[in-house]
Amino acid sequence: MKVLVPVDASAAALAPVAHLEALARSGVQIEVLVLNVQPRFHRHVSQFSSRKARDLLRQERSRIAMARAIEALSRTPLPFSAFTEVGRVAERIAAVAERERVDEIMMGVGRHPNWLRWINPSIAQGVMALTDIPVSVLARGQASMLERYAVPAGVAGLAALLLAAE
Amino acid sequence: MRILIPDIDSLNAQPAVRHVARGFLSGERYRVHLAYVRKSVDPKAGYRQLEPSRALLERLHVPCTVHLEEAADRVRGICMMARRIGAESIVLGTARNWSLTRLSEDALIQALLETAPVPVTVVAGKSVSALERYGVAAGLGATLALMLSG
């Protein structure tokens, strides 16, 4: 079974490693492909920097993002390879999954409240929209109280203040 | 290992069942739990809905159990069932994106992804037909235009 594990620098992204290790222990043959996608820079940034400098920065960010996943996988008997892509995250994940003919895409994600998902849509959902390959999502953690209540309450309070001032 | 396949769309549940069966045939060993979770359950309708999936699993000799459960909140009902049966994974079969069916399923999928106590695998069905993709949208647009002009 060939599994694509897209990672960023978050702890939640490492969730698939333990799950895959457990699967391997139960006798399933697993090959892991670790992928980190670095977004393209906005053209206003690109025009003031050289291609080499941008590539170096992406390489450095990618190395940092994948370091923990590679370290965790190195401690397991799972065979793995790691690579980086550049572009829109969900699009590149789906494209790499199709290109490498993986059996499954496995993503570890953090839990967030609905309003935050509305502003910043889930990458896992984006990937599901782009490919027929099964996508497994391992949600980790809890939305913080700040995310859940304080920020919406703050925004509502600010709006109320603005309305009252008019 | 126990896998829970909740029925959120009987037509598109088939790719999920096939995905699980493929794993079973390639050597993974587990029991599949098919679940029909609704606000009010009509046993006859529930069994009828799950029958194609159950038949497919039986044909491939994959051990399976059928559950019918009433729950006011489907997402909570599915999560509670996953905990109760000790499922290690939830597999959802859904319609392909940009279809009208998927639009109605998205809230449930998102809520399950956020709250499920175990990994959730989403297996999308076949691409939607041109009729579903464009016909329905065109129909809705035309109705809206008629209402506005009237």
Side-chain angles (χ1 to χ4, degrees), chain A residues 80-131:
Chain A
F80 71 93
S81 47
F83 45 99
T84 306
E85 289 273 329
V86 177
R88 293 184 182 182
V89 182
E91 263 178 37
R92 291 319 305 155
I93 293 171
V96 169
E98 304 273 350
R99 190 183 71 208
E100 299 292 331
R101 295 165 186 266
V102 301
D103 299 297
E104 199 167 316
I105 302 167
M106 205 171 271
M107 304 174 76
V109 301
R111 289 192 170 101
H112 299 291
N114 285 342
W115 69 266
L116 196 60
R117 284 284 180 227
W118 189 64
I119 295 169
N120 185 22
S122 151
I123 290 171
Q125 290 267 58
V127 175
M128 284 170 206
L130 295 170
T131 178

Side-chain angles (χ1 to χ4, degrees), chain A residues 111 117 125 132 135-137, chain B residues 96 110 114 116 120-122:
Chain A
R111 289 192 170 101
R117 284 284 180 227
Q125 290 267 58
D132 285 338
V135 180
S136 290
V137 178
Chain B
R96 188 66 200 266
Q110 183 56 47
E114 290 288 343
V120 178
T121 302
V122 179

Side-chain angles (χ1 to χ4, degrees), chain A:
Chain A
M1 186 175 166
K2 206 169 176 184
V3 182
L4 179 68
V5 180
V7 295
D8 54 17
S10 69
L14 299 177
V17 176
H19 185 69
L20 287 170
E21 204 184 349
L23 273 179
R25 270 201 303 271
S26 69
V28 184
Q29 294 278 327
I30 290 170
E31 183 192 344
V32 185
L33 303 180
V34 181
L35 171 69
N36 174 253
V37 181
Q38 288 294 319
R40 289 191 189 285
F41 290 104
H42 194 275
R43 62 190 169 91
H44 294 315
V45 176
S46 304
Q47 67 182 344
F48 296 114
S49 58
S50 70
R51 178 182 286 268
K52 196 180 167 193
R54 292 196 301 273
D55 286 346
L56 277 172
L57 183 60
R58 280 196 205 103
Q59 266 175 32
E60 193 186 331
R61 283 180 171 178
S62 188
R63 192 170 43 77
I64 294 168
M66 289 200 286
R68 290 168 74 185
I70 290 173
E71 197 191 328
L73 279 163
S74 306
R75 289 197 293 264
T76 70
L78 299 170
F80 71 93
S81 47
F83 45 99
T84 306
E85 289 273 329
V86 177
R88 293 184 182 182
V89 182
E91 263 178 37
R92 291 319 305 155
I93 293 171
V96 169
E98 304 273 350
R99 190 183 71 208
E100 299 292 331
R101 295 165 186 266
V102 301
D103 299 297
E104 199 167 316
I105 302 167
M106 205 171 271
M107 304 174 76
V109 301
R111 289 192 170 101
H112 299 291
N114 285 342
W115 69 266
L116 196 60
R117 284 284 180 227
W118 189 64
I119 295 169
N120 185 22
S122 151
I123 290 171
Q125 290 267 58
V127 175
M128 284 170 206
L130 295 170
T131 178
D132 285 338
I133 296 168
V135 180
S136 290
V137 178
L138 291 85
R140 289 289 179 272
Q142 288 296 331
S144 66
M145 296 297 265
L146 183 79
E147 267 183 354
R148 211 187 269 180
Y149 304 112
V151 176
V155 172
L158 203 66
L161 272 175
L162 283 169
L163 282 173
E166 274 179 7

Side-chain angles (χ1 to χ4, degrees), chain B residues 46-104:
Chain B
Y47 282 115
R48 197 173 48 236
Q49 194 96 325
L50 297 176
E51 183 49 29
S53 303
R54 195 198 61 76
L56 179 63
L57 290 169
E58 199 166 85
R59 210 165 49 239
L60 298 167
H61 306 290
V62 181
C64 100
T65 310
V66 170
H67 303 267
L68 304 181
E69 177 139 321
E70 284 192 356
D73 180 345
R74 279 173 86 187
V75 174
R76 190 173 283 182
I78 292 168
C79 290
M80 276 170 64
M81 181 175 282
R83 278 198 196 94
R84 198 173 61 234
I85 63 172
E88 273 126 278
S89 172
I90 297 173
V91 180
L92 295 173
T94 70
R96 188 66 200 266
N97 233 49
W98 311 121
S99 66
L100 209 62
T101 323
R102 178 63 180 267
L103 210 65
S104 64

